[in-house]
Amino acid sequence: MKIGITCYPTYGGSGAVATELGLALAARGHEVHFITYAQPFRLPAFSPRIVFHEVSIGSYPLFQYPPYDLALAVRMHEVAVQQKLDVLHVHYAIPHATSAWLAKQMLLDAGHHLPVVTTLHGTDITIVGQDHSYHAITKFSIEKSDRVTAVSQYLKDETVRAFGCDNRRVEVIPNFVDPAVFDRGAYDGALRQQLGDGRKVLMHISNFRPVKRVTDVVQIFAAVRREIPSVLVMVGDGPDRSAAEEEARRLDIEGDVRFLGKIDGVAPLLASADLYLLPTDQESFGLSALEAQACGVPVLGYQVGGLPEVVESGVTGHLGRVGDIVGMAGAAIDILGHEDRWQAMSTAAVRRAAGNFATDQVLPRYEALYADAVR
Ligand code: GMT
């Protein structure tokens, strides 16, 4: 098939999932066209059967807020006509599903039917979409999509609750991972030695937005470090990075906390970790938690959103109460302090990731959805 994909190209789970999906679809022989304002961050410079189409918004003095959503709709329309797209798959409802609906209407006038598939990822439903300024257009755009998917049952339920959407219209298709890439055994341990110098490696990866509670990460680590020789590796960047750095200084542990900034290929890093920390207060799925588990890393997080669908508390990690730093640190010390317990969790984590969320299992569900939408 010829598939158009639109996503946010910058760091974030929805862009990562969209790009991995495009790469996997191309590997299975489909032709994939990415339509967005920059090259998606996980997209290699060249891949067979993948083309990147840049959306340019230009500039005009009248526009204090250049209308990206319109420029995107025009580019979607253009690519659909030129490349004869069979289906357009947009990731993150706002504004992508709205632009897709506009492009679809423009195409209908020329007799070209372009089915639109919208995948809901998280904050498009839980935060931004429920803002009064965007609620009505989000509901409209979801309802006008030919097919809608959500990345967890939690997100589907929240979509039905917040937007009154028909729950039969939303299909749950989870995030996925390639176990051959996210594989602890694929890396030689040199990086682990560099990062930890013989100590346990705790890790967090995110875009450092307030929802990620990165200061909780630092506080949990501070309590763990008092009991177990360890280091904390913080990967990514965003608005709360300086707050996390400040917290590390305040707690006088900055020498053992490393901020690496944005890094594209996180698999070798995750494969070097002993424990992954994701204490966010809203998480529709938690792609990084899945990738960590695939690398045999137990995950510590809060019992929120779709995270319990990914992490089996007590088996592949521990999920605690939001803000319970002491409880989280206790669970971390228990896991890291008992080699047999850590090993059992690590093995269960790999089995869970590969058994429920491997690319080979999830991808055919998208292919079936496209085929159905085209019919
Ligand atoms: O929160 C992020 O890291 C970015 C955000 C996005 O939309 O780019 O991620 C969301 O989508 C991911 C992929 O489906 C999910 O794994 C994340 O759980 C979700 N983030 C939130 O719900 C906060």
Side-chain angles (χ1 to χ4, degrees):
M1 290 180 102
K2 295 186 171 202
I3 302 157
I5 293 183
T6 288
C7 62
Y8 283 108
T10 50
Y11 293 79
S14 58
V17 169
T19 309
E20 297 290 356
L21 176 62
L23 288 166
L25 288 166
R28 284 165 76 105
H30 299 283
E31 189 176 300
V32 177
H33 295 267
F34 281 95
I35 310 165
T36 181
Y37 62 83
Q39 164 120 349
F41 73 97
R42 282 198 183 184
L43 196 63
F46 171 75
S47 301
R49 292 181 294 283
I50 292 190
V51 184
F52 165 54
H53 305 266
E54 187 176 354
V55 179
S56 157
I57 50 170
S59 67
Y60 189 67
L62 190 63
F63 292 154
Q64 190 176 353
Y65 306 105
Y68 173 70
D69 25 18
L70 298 184
L72 176 61
V74 169
R75 196 77 168 118
M76 286 168 161
H77 172 268
E78 187 176 69
V79 174
V81 170
Q82 286 173 356
Q83 306 296 334
K84 300 187 173 48
L85 294 184
D86 296 304
V87 63
L88 178 59
H89 188 174
V90 300
H91 294 258
Y92 207 92
I94 306 166
H96 303 148
T98 316
S99 301
W101 178 77
L102 275 172
K104 180 179 165 145
Q105 299 313 302
M106 291 156 71
L107 287 159
L108 271 180
D109 285 350
H112 179 156
H113 172 62
L114 181 68
V116 172
V117 175
T118 297
T119 289
L120 309 172
H121 280 273
T123 51
D124 46 352
I125 295 303
T126 57
I127 299 180
V128 191
Q130 291 187 45
D131 182 315
H132 181 71
S133 312
Y134 298 109
H135 186 275
I137 194 82
T138 304
K139 176 175 165 61
F140 173 85
S141 308
I142 292 171
E143 288 176 348
K144 291 294 178 190
S145 299
D146 294 279
R147 294 290 183 281
V148 181
T149 79
V151 297
S152 62
Q153 183 63 42
Y154 156 77
L155 190 62
K156 171 177 175 168
D157 294 344
E158 188 57 12
T159 305
V160 172
R161 187 198 67 76
F163 297 97
C165 298
D166 177 352
N167 78 4
R168 287 162 307 183
R169 291 205 68 238
V170 184
E171 182 174 345
V172 176
I173 303 185
N175 289 177
F176 55 90
V177 67
D178 184 348
V181 175
F182 289 84
D183 172 11
R184 198 173 193 80
Y187 306 95
D188 64 6
L191 182 58
R192 180 179 156 68
Q193 184 57 29
Q194 283 167 10
L195 291 173
D197 201 13
R199 291 166 291 174
K200 299 289 183 193
V201 176
L202 284 72
M203 192 171 288
H204 170 81
I205 303 176
S206 79
N207 46 23
F208 288 59
R209 286 182 301 169
V211 71
K212 301 293 177 186
R213 296 179 72 111
V214 284
T215 51
D216 286 22
V217 174
V218 177
Q219 290 168 10
I220 293 165
F221 168 68
V224 172
R225 179 184 166 276
R226 279 196 289 273
E227 303 288 329
I228 293 180
S230 47
V231 295
L232 174 63
V233 178
M234 303 284 275
V235 184
D237 210 333
D240 281 356
R241 174 170 170 174
S242 49
E245 289 172 339
E246 178 52 37
E247 190 66 2
R249 276 193 293 276
R250 190 183 71 78
L251 295 167
D252 203 18
I253 55 170
E254 73 265 37
D256 291 332
V257 183
R258 294 183 65 179
F259 288 86
L260 302 188
K262 291 178 180 175
I263 291 181
D264 281 354
V266 292
L269 286 168
L270 283 171
S272 309
D274 295 296
L275 194 65
Y276 186 70
L277 304 181
L278 192 64
T280 66
D281 61 22
Q282 268 189 43
E283 200 66 54
S284 67
F285 184 92
L287 175 64
S288 62
L290 173 61
E291 293 176 337
Q293 290 188 137
C295 288
V297 186
V299 174
L300 226 68
Y302 293 140
Q303 188 87 30
V304 294
L307 207 51
E309 297 172 46
V310 183
V311 179
E312 200 178 342
S313 191
V315 179
T316 68
H318 168 82
L319 299 180
R321 254 186 315 111
V322 175
D324 180 12
I325 306 291
V326 173
M328 297 285 276
I333 292 164
D334 187 41
I335 297 167
L336 291 173
H338 297 92
E339 183 57 30
D340 52 343
R341 189 155 162 65
W342 182 89
Q343 192 57 59
M345 278 197 166
S346 171
T347 305
V350 173
R351 197 179 305 128
R352 183 163 178 75
N356 300 33
F357 304 103
T359 309
D360 289 352
Q361 290 164 293
V362 177
L363 200 78
R365 299 188 53 194
Y366 279 117
E367 290 179 308
L369 193 79
Y370 298 155
D372 191 45
V374 168
R375 255 198 310 271

